[in-house]
């Protein structure tokens, strides 16, 4: 009889676990479908909600449907236990002296002891759960281990593989994935551009040689096969990567020949171009940069008519814009300039909405956050800062990065050889949910978790693989696997495939 009772109990426990697993899988699919359908980004307070706490409601509801006659559980973990192992309720007074009831009565004492021991463990697990969720990380994943009888904290990413693209023979300046995640465009300091794919295999699709020096690169959004190339002689080329030919070459401004940054609007109808005057040394790019910012322009061009639409006003004076980025619908444009000022433009009215001094020195890289209520910036002062765009100039978090994450980047060799490169490409990139950020380092990419507290960044994974300083990064996310691109001064590009541990 005891063996039959044990087998029955195991069968009930397996059935309960199957139902819980089915409920979690269904919720995960529904959540994924909902995220894909919604185009507007969620606000920060929704993004950081307790995901396991939301799941708790669904699990309790499903348990009530399965066992409507049982009493409600005391906590979340009791829903994962079979009915036979939950806290006993007061039994009604016996109405008859059947042998079955007598047998159950004889076994009541050891069963209570086991149940009390289990409840003590459950209370300890509940306390551990509250401590874990009191931390600001929304990415921590908790798993129930039946063997260990407790909670386990898993790393947010697993590095599945790392491949190398080695077709460049000089230092990389830019490395960007297109909007579809199918192609990569990389530019080196010799003016050689490689367009290549990595899925299902790494393969070069096109090679572009430029006689004039190239300073900027950007993928068009519609169609995504077009590539914008900014030069050091005042021109922007529109290149078709499938037809492998130049479609058009635009002359921007002879007095401002350095095209420092390009950003294509999400609609694909226009692009923003940052043009700067030559440095006082007369070179296209001097190292180190002069403390006095040079003059610059910020222009809007129509991609269909291939004509300039307007020139933005840069206050208090025209200055070189180093980096530009649109939000998800193209209504806002954020820029970082050589004077250390971040400017936010309203693209409906084509005017500056606000501006503030963000860094001591130049602004190297800017990006909108996942919920687009804040912007992140990295500057010459090595600070990684999060800014609230609803309160001009208000910092939400700040952290000083290592020297090898912000540049200038230095590659030393034999006999005193030294190569110095100022930042040109993207210095940081976010994952698909905006909870982790990829940065540069001397030996590979570093992934941090955004904490929204002090410190602002929590290091979670080092990608490694490089023998020279990494100068630019990009992060392409598709389903559960993400691809991190890290490009270095020796011309090597590492492609790291990550598996995200979804909750």
């Amino acid at each position: 009889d005891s063996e039959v009772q044990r087998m029955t109990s195991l069968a009930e426990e397996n059935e309960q676990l199957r139902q819980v697993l089915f409920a979690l899988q269904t919720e995960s699919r529904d959540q994924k479908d909902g995220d894909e359908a919604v185009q507007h980004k969620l606000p920060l307070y929704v993004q950081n909600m307790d995901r396991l706490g939301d799941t708790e409601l669904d699990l309790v509801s499903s348990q009530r449907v399965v066992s409507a006659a049982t009493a409600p559980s005391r906590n979340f973990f009791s829903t994962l236990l079979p009915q036979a192992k939950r806290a006993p309720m007061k039994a009604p007074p016996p109405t008859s002296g059947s042998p079955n009831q007598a047998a159950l009565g004889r076994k009541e004492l050891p069963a209570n002891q086991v149940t009390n021991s289990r409840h003590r463990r459950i209370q300890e697990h509940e306390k551990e759960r509250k401590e874990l969720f009191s931390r600001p990380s929304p990415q921590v994943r908790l798993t129930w281990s039946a063997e260990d009888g407790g909670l386990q904290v898993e790393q947010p990413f697993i590095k599945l593989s790392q491949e190398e693209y080695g077709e460049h023979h000089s230092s990389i300046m830019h490395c960007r994935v297109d909007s579809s995640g199918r192609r990569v465009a990389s530019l080196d300091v010799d003016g050689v551009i490689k367009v290549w794919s990595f899925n299902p295999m790494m393969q070069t699709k096109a090679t572009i040689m430029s006689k004039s020096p190239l300073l900027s690169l950007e993928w068009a959004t519609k169609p995504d096969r077009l590539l914008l190339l900014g030069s050091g002689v005042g021109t922007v080329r529109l290149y078709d990567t499938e037809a492998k030919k130049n479609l058009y070459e635009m002359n921007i401004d002879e007095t401002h020949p350095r095209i420092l940054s390009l950003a294509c609007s999400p609609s694909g109808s226009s692009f923003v171009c940052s043009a700067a005057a030559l440095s006082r040394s007369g070179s296209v790019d001097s190292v180190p940069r002069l403390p006095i910012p040079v003059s610059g322009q910020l222009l809007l061009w129509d991609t269909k008519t291939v004509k300039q639409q307007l020139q933005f006003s840069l206050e208090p004076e025209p200055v070189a814009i180093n980096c530009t980025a649109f939000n998800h619908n193209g209504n806002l444009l954020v820029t970082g300039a050589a004077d250390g000022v971040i400017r936010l433009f309203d693209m409906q009215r084509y005017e500056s909405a606000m501006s503030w001094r963000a860094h001591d020195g130049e602004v190297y890289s800017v990006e909108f956050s996942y919920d687009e209520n804040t912007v992140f910036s990295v500057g010459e002062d090595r600070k990684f800062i999060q800014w609230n765009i609803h309160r001009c100039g208000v910092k939400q978090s700040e952290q000083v990065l290592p020297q090898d994450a912000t540049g200038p980047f230095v590659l030393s060799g034999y006999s005193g050889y030294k190569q110095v490169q100022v930042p040109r490409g993207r210095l940081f990139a976010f994952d698909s949910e905006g909870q982790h950020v990829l940065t540069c380092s001397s030996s590979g990419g570093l992934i941090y978790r955004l904490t929204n507290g002090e410190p602002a960044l929590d290091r979670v994974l080092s990608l490694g693989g490089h023998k020279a300083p990494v100068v630019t990064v990009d992060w392409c996310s598709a389903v559960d696997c993400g691809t991190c691109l890290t490009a270095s001064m020796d011309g090597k590009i590492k492609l790291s495939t990550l598996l995200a541990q979804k909750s």
Side-chain angles (χ1 to χ4, degrees):
D1 292 342
S2 62
E3 184 67 21
V4 171
Q5 185 176 1
R6 188 176 69 85
M7 295 298 293
T8 303
S9 176
L10 289 175
E12 292 178 356
E13 184 176 357
N14 290 337
E15 180 63 25
Q16 293 286 340
L17 292 176
R18 279 197 296 269
Q19 293 174 359
V20 172
L21 179 61
F22 176 77
L24 289 174
Q25 291 175 343
T26 302
E27 181 195 3
S28 177
R29 287 195 298 268
D30 295 342
Q31 185 177 3
K32 184 182 295 185
D33 295 340
D35 292 343
E36 293 177 354
V38 178
Q39 294 181 356
H40 187 71
K41 305 300 173 68
L42 296 176
L44 188 62
Y45 67 88
V46 177
Q47 175 190 350
N48 292 332
M49 285 181 66
D50 182 351
R51 295 185 177 181
L52 190 55
D54 298 338
T55 308
E56 178 179 346
L57 299 177
D58 297 335
L59 289 176
V60 171
S61 301
S62 63
Q63 289 294 330
R64 288 176 179 172
V65 174
V66 174
S67 54
T70 61
S73 58
R74 294 185 179 182
N75 53 49
F76 167 68
F77 295 103
S78 62
T79 63
L80 301 179
L81 300 175
Q83 297 294 329
K85 297 186 179 182
R86 293 188 186 176
M89 296 184 298
K90 294 183 179 180
T95 56
S96 62
S98 63
N100 291 336
Q101 291 179 350
L104 291 175
R106 287 194 300 269
K107 296 183 180 179
E108 183 176 357
L109 182 58
N112 286 338
Q113 293 177 353
V114 174
T115 305
N116 292 335
S117 176
R118 182 175 293 276
H119 273 290
R120 284 196 299 270
R121 292 170 60 189
I122 290 174
Q123 291 175 358
E124 294 175 358
H125 301 157
E126 181 71 16
K127 182 179 179 181
E128 183 180 359
R129 172 183 179 270
K130 291 180 180 179
E131 291 177 355
L132 288 170
F133 276 109
S134 64
R135 301 173 186 176
S137 168
Q139 188 63 33
V140 175
R141 185 188 178 196
L142 306 179
T143 58
W144 176 268
S145 174
E147 296 179 357
D148 299 335
L151 288 173
Q152 294 179 344
V153 181
E154 295 187 2
Q155 292 295 328
F157 300 101
I158 297 176
K159 187 170 74 171
L160 299 179
S161 64
Q162 188 175 75
E163 302 175 83
E164 179 181 290
Y165 184 79
E167 296 296 320
H168 288 279
H169 303 289
S170 59
S171 179
I172 307 297
M173 295 177 62
H174 294 272
C175 184
R176 297 295 302 271
V177 186
D178 68 355
S179 58
S180 66
R182 295 182 293 119
R183 290 180 295 263
V184 179
S186 49
L187 165 66
D188 61 32
V189 296
D190 290 337
V192 178
I193 301 168
K194 297 285 184 178
V195 179
W196 47 284
S197 62
F198 54 87
N199 191 11
M201 60 180 295
M202 199 171 287
Q203 183 180 9
T204 301
K205 299 294 186 181
T207 300
I208 309 169
M209 308 292 290
S210 176
K211 295 181 180 179
S212 58
L214 295 178
L215 301 178
S216 54
L217 173 151
E218 175 71 352
W219 283 101
T221 51
K222 296 178 182 180
D224 58 5
R225 69 176 188 273
L226 301 182
L227 198 61
L228 291 169
L229 305 174
S231 72
V233 293
T235 61
V236 173
R237 276 193 286 168
L238 192 61
Y239 183 84
D240 191 327
T241 59
E242 292 184 0
K244 299 181 181 181
K245 65 178 182 179
N246 290 321
L247 297 183
Y248 200 85
E249 185 171 281
M250 293 156 273
N251 294 312
I252 305 300
D253 189 356
E254 293 182 355
T255 61
H256 297 84
R258 295 190 301 153
I259 310 301
L260 300 182
S261 179
L262 295 166
C264 191
S265 67
S267 64
S269 60
S270 59
F271 70 90
V272 167
C273 168
S274 166
L278 290 173
S279 59
R280 296 189 179 182
S281 62
S283 62
V284 171
D285 202 359
S286 62
V287 179
R289 295 181 181 180
L290 294 173
I292 302 177
V294 298
S295 173
Q297 294 180 344
L298 187 64
L299 310 172
L300 182 68
W301 279 69
D302 191 301
T303 54
K304 295 181 179 179
T305 61
V306 200
K307 293 182 179 180
Q308 178 181 324
Q309 287 184 272
L310 59 93
Q311 177 179 341
F312 292 94
S313 175
L314 299 176
E315 299 295 339
E317 59 183 358
V319 66
I321 301 294
N322 291 330
C323 46
T324 54
F326 280 98
N327 71 330
H328 80 284
N329 57 13
N331 289 335
L332 293 175
L333 173 73
V334 63
T335 67
D339 59 358
V341 175
I342 290 179
R343 295 170 175 85
L344 191 69
F345 291 91
D346 183 351
M347 297 304 291
Q348 299 291 324
R349 300 181 179 180
Y350 300 112
E351 62 183 19
S352 176
M354 64 180 69
S355 63
W356 65 93
R357 182 165 296 279
H359 294 274
D360 295 330
E362 302 194 25
V363 182
Y364 286 153
S365 194
V366 289
E367 294 290 340
F368 279 96
S369 63
Y370 177 77
D371 63 352
E372 298 184 350
N373 287 320
T374 61
V375 295
F376 290 88
S377 64
V378 168
E380 190 176 3
D381 54 7
R382 295 169 43 205
K383 292 181 180 179
F384 179 81
I385 306 178
Q386 182 181 13
W387 304 93
N388 190 328
I389 64 174
H390 303 290
R391 301 173 63 189
C392 182
V394 174
K395 297 180 185 178
Q396 287 199 187
S397 64
E398 175 182 338
Q399 179 151 335
V400 177
L401 295 176
Q403 178 68 40
D404 56 3
T406 60
F409 305 102
V410 180
L411 179 63
S412 302
Y414 296 104
S415 302
Y417 170 80
K418 181 184 291 186
Q419 179 182 351
V420 182
Q421 181 175 329
V422 296
R424 280 298 173 211
R426 178 180 291 186
L427 295 183
F428 63 93
F430 295 106
D431 68 339
S432 60
E433 297 181 351
Q435 298 171 0
H436 295 84
V437 61
L438 172 66
T439 67
C440 303
S441 79
S442 59
S443 60
L446 291 179
I447 295 179
Y448 295 90
R449 176 174 54 86
L450 299 175
T451 64
N452 295 324
E454 292 294 338
L457 299 175
D458 181 21
R459 178 171 168 176
V460 297
L461 182 62
S462 174
L463 299 180
H466 284 276
K467 298 180 180 179
V470 171
V471 296
T472 183
V473 297
D474 202 1
W475 196 331
C476 172
S477 299
V479 195
D480 288 339
C481 289
T483 302
C484 293
L485 293 171
T486 54
S488 60
M489 293 185 69
D490 59 359
K492 307 300 182 184
I493 301 174
K494 296 291 184 177
L495 189 146
S496 304
T497 302
L498 304 181
L499 177 62
Q501 300 281 5
K502 298 293 184 180
S503 57

